[in-house]
C-alpha cells in the first residue's frame, strides 16, 4: 500500500489493514497465560511427534516465563528502534520481507512508539519489499528495486534505512 493510499483511509480502515497484516497474535495485549498455554501446547505437540522426545518447556510456568521474556525483549527492541530513528532521522523506512513488516507493525502496540508521532508516521508509511533471499532471480530482483525506487520517489512521507 502506498502512502497516498494510506492517507485516504479512515482510522478504522487503517486499524483493519494493520490487523490483517499482524494477525491474531498480539505480544503486547494478548493474555500472557493464554499465550503461554498455546506455546506450551504447541511445544508438547512437537515433542510428541519427535523420536527424541525433547521439548523446550517442561511446564506451563516455563512457557509463561518465556512469553514474559519475549515481551520485555520486544519492548527493548522497539525502544532501540526509536532511538535509532531519532538519531538517523530517516525520510523513508524500507522493510525487507513480510516477517520484518509484521514485527514493525507490532511495534504500534507499544506505548513509547504510539507516543512518538514521527515514529508512528514512519511505521504507517513504510515501504515493504521482498527480501533478496526470496526473490530467486535477477529479473525479480530488478522488479523489486524498481518498485522500491518508485515508492520512494512517490512517497515523500515514508523513510529508508
Amino acid at each position: 500500500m502506498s502512502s497516498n493510499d494510506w492517507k485516504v483511509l479512515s482510522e478504522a480502515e487503517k486499524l483493519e489493514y494493520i490487523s490483517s497484516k499482524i494477525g491474531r497474535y498480539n505480544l503486547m495485549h494478548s493474555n500472557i497465560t493464554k499465550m503461554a498455554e498455546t506455546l506450551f501446547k504447541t511445544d508438547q505437540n512437537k515433542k510428541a511427534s519427535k523420536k527424541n522426545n525433547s521439548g523446550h518447556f517442561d511446564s506451563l510456568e516455563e512457557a509463561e516465563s518465556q512469553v514474559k521474556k519475549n515481551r520485555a525483549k520486544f519492548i527493548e527492541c522497539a525502544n532501540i528502534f526509536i532511538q535509532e530513528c531519532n538519531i538517523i532521522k530517516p525520510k523513508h523506512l524500507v522493510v525487507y520481507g513480510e516477517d520484518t513488516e509484521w514485527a514493525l507493525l507490532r511495534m504500534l502496540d507499544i506505548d513509547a512508539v504510539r507516543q512518538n508521532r514521527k515514529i508512528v508516521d514512519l511505521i504507517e508509511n513504510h515501504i515493504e519489499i521482498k527480501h533478496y533471499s526470496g526473490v530467486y532471480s535477477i529479473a525479480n530482483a530488478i522488479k523489486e528495486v524498481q518498485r522500491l525506487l518508485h515508492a520512494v520517489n512517490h512517497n515523500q512521507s515514508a523513510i529508508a534505512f
Side-chain angles (χ1 to χ4, degrees), residues 25-32 35 70-72 74-75 106-111 114:
Y25 183 76
N26 186 330
L27 188 61
M28 299 311 300
H29 297 290
S30 294
N31 180 294
I32 289 176
M35 290 170 55
N70 290 350
R71 183 178 286 193
F74 189 69
I75 291 169
R106 293 312 289 139
M107 287 186 188
L108 292 171
D109 292 330
I110 296 173
D111 290 337
R114 282 195 313 270

Side-chain angles (χ1 to χ4, degrees), residues 1-9 14 17 101 124-128 147 150-152 154-158:
M1 174 176 299
S2 74
S3 68
N4 291 333
D5 294 336
W6 185 261
K7 289 175 185 173
V8 298
L9 294 178
K14 288 178 184 179
Y17 175 77
E101 182 181 38
E124 288 181 344
N125 295 303
H126 72 277
I127 301 165
E128 188 274 335
R147 192 169 72 82
H150 177 77
V152 169
H154 292 90
N155 187 353
Q156 299 303 314
S157 63

